Amino acid sequence: MKLCSFIFPPPEGESEGLKTLKLSRLPESLENESKRLESQRAKERESAILLHRQTHCYLSELLGCIQILQSLILDHRLRAQNDLDRKKTEYMEAKCQIIILKIRMEMLQVQLDTYTPKKIAVHRTIRDTLESALKSEQVERQSSQRMLSSFEILGQDFEAVVKEYSRLQQEIKNKKWALQEFSQYNH
């Protein structure tokens, strides 16, 4: 009876016959309630499985979107970095040009302070003398190279003639010396 009162709470002043009728329907009611609860549990399981699948699907889509977003951010950052690098390079080039011009100005100022017009004239004279000496040396070098080329054209035979000539010159020198020595002892 207590079970019946728990499942079907009695309103105030309920008769015993009504309570007995409810008690006879209790197994059927419990079975219906059990089936309803089992059906509800099955629906909850299906809902949980569906929720799990949808969550997994949404997470996969979200990860894909995050990857696309990361690639867009990286692409934008690379483009922005490229522009920034180009601007920094232009700035550094301009700064280097300014520094080079300042150094050149300082060098010219030092030269102006160091060299008087008289010293500059002397340096020009020295430079002209050295340039003319260089030109004459170059002409002499070219002449020597031409002569050497003509000797190289003659080849091995000419070399043998030169050696024979050198040997004969040495022999004549030796005989002149011997003749001088001989004539000194004969007088």
Side-chain angles (χ1 to χ4, degrees):
M1 226 9 148
K2 288 183 181 181
L3 183 63
C4 187
S5 297
F6 179 75
I7 294 174
F8 304 114
E12 292 294 320
E14 188 175 63
S15 69
E16 282 297 313
L18 191 56
K19 286 183 185 179
T20 311
L21 180 63
K22 284 183 179 179
L23 190 60
S24 67
R25 289 190 188 163
L26 183 63
E28 183 182 314
S29 294
L30 286 176
E31 189 177 322
N32 287 341
E33 185 65 21
S34 174
K35 285 180 182 178
R36 186 185 67 77
L37 288 174
E38 189 61 37
S39 171
Q40 182 101 14
R41 284 186 195 131
K43 285 180 183 177
E44 285 178 5
R45 273 183 259 151
E46 288 175 8
S47 294
I49 290 171
L50 181 63
L51 180 65
H52 184 274
R53 285 181 184 160
Q54 286 177 345
T55 304
H56 181 71
C57 183
Y58 290 150
L59 287 176
S60 296
E61 287 297 318
L62 185 61
L63 286 174
C65 291
I66 288 172
Q67 288 175 347
I68 291 171
L69 187 60
Q70 283 177 338
S71 69
L72 289 173
I73 289 170
L74 181 63
D75 186 42
H76 176 71
R77 187 181 297 157
L78 289 176
R79 265 192 249 130
Q81 186 66 39
N82 189 17
D83 291 343
L84 183 64
D85 289 346
R86 184 179 43 76
K87 288 178 183 176
K88 280 184 180 178
T89 303
E90 289 171 359
Y91 170 76
M92 295 303 278
E93 285 176 354
K95 195 169 183 174
C96 285
Q97 287 297 326
I98 291 170
I99 290 171
I100 289 171
L101 289 174
K102 284 182 179 179
I103 290 171
R104 179 75 177 135
M105 187 180 73
E106 290 296 322
M107 287 174 55
L108 290 174
Q109 186 62 43
V110 167
Q111 287 178 354
L112 185 62
D113 293 343
T114 304
Y115 299 112
T116 63
K118 189 176 181 181
K119 288 181 181 178
I120 292 173
V122 170
H123 283 151
R124 283 189 184 136
T125 306
I126 292 170
R127 186 183 69 218
D128 292 342
T129 305
L130 290 174
E131 285 177 354
S132 66
L134 178 65
K135 286 180 184 177
S136 68
E137 288 298 321
Q138 287 175 342
V139 168
E140 187 178 331
R141 189 180 119 239
Q142 288 174 352
S143 171
S144 298
Q145 283 180 336
R146 274 187 252 123
M147 189 182 299
L148 182 62
S149 308
S150 65
F151 288 143
E152 286 176 350
I153 290 172
L154 297 174
Q156 295 281 344
D157 295 335
F158 182 73
E159 193 175 320
V161 170
V162 169
K163 284 183 182 177
E164 181 64 25
Y165 177 77
S166 297
R167 188 188 64 75
L168 288 174
Q169 284 283 14
Q170 187 65 34
E171 198 174 302
I172 289 171
K173 189 177 174 184
N174 287 342
K175 287 188 180 186
K176 279 185 181 179
W177 177 79
L179 207 62
Q180 267 185 339
E181 290 296 316
F182 185 66
S183 57
Q184 281 181 357
Y185 288 117
N186 279 341
H187 288 114

